[in-house]
Structures are given as C-alpha cells and as structure tokens.
Amino acid sequence: MTKRILVTGGAGFIGTHLCQRLLSEGHEVICLDNFYTGRRANVRPLLEHPRFELARHDVIEPIRLEVTQIYHLACPASPVHYQANPIQTVKTSVLGTLNMLGLAKRVGARFLLASTSEIYGDPLAHPQREDYWGNVNPIGPRSCYDEGKRVAETLAMDYRRQHRVDVCIARIFNTYGPNMLENDGRVVSNFICQALRGEPLTIYGDGSQTRSFCYVDDLVDGLVRLMETQDFAGPVNLGNPSEFTVAELARKTLAMTGSDSPIVHRPLPENDPRRRRPDIALAGERLGWSPKVPLEVGLEQTIAYFRSAIGQT
Ligand code: NAD
Ligand code: UDP
C-alpha cells in the first residue's frame, strides 16, 4: 500500500538514499530540509519524480503536514559541522525533535528517530549494547550533539509513554557511502578525497582508535525494517560490527585508490571516543537485520563516487 512518508533531513547523506529507497517501493515522499549540510544536487535526480516533494524548512519551526510515517533524520552528523554552530545543533535535536513528535502525535504517524552511537560517548563497555547507558561529557565540544541526541531519545520515549505516540529509535553507528559531502569532515570522505587529490591523509592522534563502518545501503535497509516492525520501539543499534583502527582505514584507502599520498598526524580532537563497535544481536533478533556489505566493497563504491564528484577519472 502506498504511504505518504516524511523524511526530515532528506537532502543529506543518509536521507537521499532513504528517499530513493522509499520511492522505489512505491511510496509518496516529502523531504524537508534547511540545506544546512544537505545539498539540492543530492536530491536533483528525484525532483522530477511524481511521488517526490521537496520543501525547504527548518525543523526548529513547527509544520503541519498529513503523513503516516516520519523518518526524523534532520541534524548535522559530522563533528566539523555540528560543532560549527553548536547552539543550532542543540536546537535542532531538541526543538526539532519536539516539533516532529508533535506532528506525529497530531496525525498518528509512526516516528523513527535517527539517534547515534555517540550517545554512548567514550564507551567503557565494548562492544556497545543498547542497555549500556554511556559515558558522555555533558559540557564538552561534542556535547551539543551527544547530549542533544540523548534528549531527543528522552523526548521520543516520553511521547510514547505520555501520549502513546508510536515511536522507534535507531542508534546509528558510523555510516559511509556515496553522496557524502567532500568537505563533510568525517574520516572516510576525508581519507578518500585526500588520497584522490594526492594530499596527505590526516590521521588524528596515533590512529589506534577504532570505528566500525557501515555501508549506507545496509543502514537504510535497517531503518526501513525498523519502521515496518510493529510494536517495537527499540532503541536498537544499527551498524557494522567489523571494527578497524583509523590507521588501518588510512592504509586500505591508500591501497584501494592507488594513491601515494603520505600520512600525517594531527592532534586528536577532545573527547574523541577510543573504541566503537555495535553489538547488533537485538537488530538480528527483532528486525532480521545484519549488514551485508564488507568494507572493501563499500569503499570501492564510495571511491568511485568521489572520483567522479571531484572530477577525476
Ligand atoms: P547529513 O549532515 O548529511 O544530513 C543531515 C541533513 O539534515 C542535512 O540535509 C541537513 O541540511 C539537514 N538539517 C540539519 N539541520 C536541520 C534543521 N534544523 N532543519 C531541517 N533540516 C536540517 O548527515 P547524515 O549522515 O545523513 O545523518 C542523518 C542522520 O543520521 C542525523 O540525524 C545523524 O545524527 C544520524 N546519524 C548519522 C550517522 C552517520 O554516520 N552518517 C551516524 C549516527 C547518526
Ligand atoms: N579522523 C581522522 N582523520 C580525519 C577525520 C577523522 O583520523 O581526517 C578520526 C577521528 O578523530 C575519529 C575517527 O576518525 O577518531 C572517526 O571520525 P569521524 O569524524 O568520521 O566520526 P566520529 O565517529 O568521531 O563521529
């Protein structure tokens, strides 16, 4: 059955892939975005689609729409972008989520919150399970995002308890793929763009910190499964449990791009988490989901995207 679905942050990296997936399944998609980190170019291929609608709107302001599902993704995700205007980041997470939950309540829509592994902070438990409460600095440079998303989770669960809004929460771990911005600032796009341009790869710290990288198609599949799973609120981790050090990622990127860029070290940002890997047992059990795309395959797709995006052959 065709549904009318709202995707906030739909012109961003994950949002554009999600809009495409929902359109391919026959749904009507309304994409709301204020283009803070999203790009019209990302959604340009969708503009002619008869079931796609794009609206410039800041979720900090309320909006009236009639929809049956809401994927709430609006929020800058890269540390560089969310720290550029931290007060706006907090407003987006708190007031934006409040407004979109209010909308869900009014129209009776199922609501999916794009939360983050960052709510675990610099985790003392490894790998991270959903019942781990986290180790987050409330006053540091990452707090606008970490704490903002923690309040967003709180709001979602309070709307569920107090107003019976049908919410679910995805805790998304590091995700990568085509349509990331060249200046996104996250590690995968930085390393690939640096390698393709022959510039030094910037490893922050000694490169021994770890992350677990999920290809965007796998992630989007997890989001859709979560939305379609009735009577399940989560929170549920969505990410790829294969864990790599940042130094390993740099070496892999150099090998796969055939680049002879040198590696340089830069200071480790404050509160940079040491290790991160999702425990995805719950997603397997409740959503029948696990990621399928290995890092090498996903990197190949992403490198091909950036080669054409930055005008290389
Ligand atoms: P992104 O920055 O590419 O996309 C975010 C989108 O939201 C952009 O199009 C931006 O313009 C829009 N936006 C920001 N503030 C807004 C506002 N106030 N009103 C309307 N639109 C606004 O980021 P992404 O990687 O696509 O992330 C999408 C969501 O997933 C975010 O909520 C992020 O926190 C979450 N997430 C992403 C990752 C990841 O690795 N990509 C990891 C964890 C969580
Ligand atoms: N990082 C790096 N070089 C870069 C960008 C990031 O070494 O050019 C490191 C960063 O310090 C962190 C990891 O890569 O340890 C992942 O950073 P990213 O910003 O992609 O995401 P995070 O998981 O920190 O939100």
Side-chain angles (χ1 to χ4, degrees):
M1 200 187 70
T2 301
K3 296 177 185 128
R4 186 179 297 150
I5 303 175
L6 174 63
V7 179
T8 75
F13 158 52
I14 296 175
T16 48
H17 289 270
L18 177 61
C19 288
Q20 265 161 356
R21 162 81 187 254
L22 297 172
L23 288 169
S24 75
E25 288 175 357
H27 301 301
E28 284 179 37
V29 174
I30 303 176
C31 165
L32 282 194
D33 209 292
N34 69 351
F35 298 110
Y36 180 58
T37 50
R39 264 192 313 194
R40 245 170 301 258
N42 275 349
V43 283
R44 198 161 289 139
L46 306 181
L47 289 178
E48 295 304 311
H49 197 292
R51 283 183 276 101
F52 182 76
E53 220 175 311
L54 174 65
R56 175 189 278 266
H57 179 78
D58 193 314
V59 293
I60 290 174
E61 302 298 332
I63 192 165
R64 286 179 79 89
L65 292 166
E66 307 306 318
V67 290
T68 52
Q69 293 183 342
I70 300 171
Y71 287 88
H72 179 45
L73 273 60
C75 184
S78 159
V80 175
H81 293 134
Y82 71 63
Q83 289 173 22
N85 188 342
I87 295 170
Q88 167 79 9
T89 302
V90 174
K91 283 185 180 172
T92 293
S93 268
V94 179
L95 301 178
T97 302
L98 193 72
N99 285 330
M100 294 305 113
L101 282 164
L103 175 64
K105 175 181 166 222
R106 185 177 66 76
V107 299
R110 180 155 163 87
F111 176 95
L112 183 149
L113 174 67
S115 184
T116 170
S117 54
E118 298 258 333
I119 67 105
Y120 299 122
D122 190 3
L124 303 178
H126 194 78
Q128 292 80 53
R129 283 163 44 108
E130 291 84 351
D131 54 10
Y132 176 55
W133 288 354
N135 176 38
V136 177
N137 176 357
I139 55 167
R142 296 176 88 101
S143 314
C144 57
Y145 185 71
D146 306 356
E147 297 286 23
K149 289 284 186 180
R150 287 169 71 97
V151 174
E153 288 200 8
T154 306
L155 281 169
M157 293 316 258
D158 282 338
Y159 266 74
R160 178 179 154 89
R161 282 185 286 257
Q162 199 173 329
H163 295 304
R164 308 216 172 285
V165 175
D166 184 12
V167 305
C168 55
I169 299 174
R171 289 187 179 151
I172 302 170
F173 283 64
N174 297 62
T175 300
Y176 69 99
N179 291 6
M180 294 180 93
L181 294 178
E182 282 166 49
N183 70 351
D184 182 272
R186 282 176 279 190
V187 68
V188 173
S189 46
N190 269 11
F191 283 177
I192 293 176
C193 292
Q194 289 164 343
L196 292 177
R197 292 188 176 118
E199 294 167 0
L201 269 63
T202 52
I203 292 184
Y204 302 160
D206 64 6
S208 63
Q209 71 271 35
T210 68
R211 293 293 186 273
S212 308
F213 300 100
C214 186
Y215 189 61
V216 65
D217 288 353
D218 280 334
L219 192 270
V220 164
D221 188 53
L223 294 178
V224 173
R225 281 172 189 255
L226 174 58
M227 179 61 98
E228 296 303 330
T229 302
Q230 304 303 312
D231 303 319
F232 181 55
V236 62
N237 289 338
L238 294 178
N240 191 318
S242 309
E243 184 180 357
F244 297 88
T245 65
V246 165
E248 280 169 339
L249 178 72
R251 283 196 293 273
K252 235 180 236 304
T253 307
L254 287 176
M256 289 183 65
T257 51
S259 167
D260 52 13
S261 287
I263 285 177
V264 295
H265 290 266
R266 297 275 176 264
L268 190 67
E270 198 181 328
N271 297 145
D272 198 274
R274 283 291 312 152
R275 302 199 297 172
R276 187 182 285 154
R277 171 154 63 98
D279 180 319
I280 57 166
L282 184 64
E285 191 185 306
R286 297 302 303 263
L287 313 180
W289 179 85
S290 62
K292 303 281 178 282
V293 183
L295 184 61
E296 286 72 14
V297 176
L299 279 182
E300 216 167 271
Q301 302 287 327
T302 313
I303 290 167
Y305 165 79
F306 277 117
R307 266 191 209 283
S308 76
I310 62 181
Q312 298 212 8
T313 50

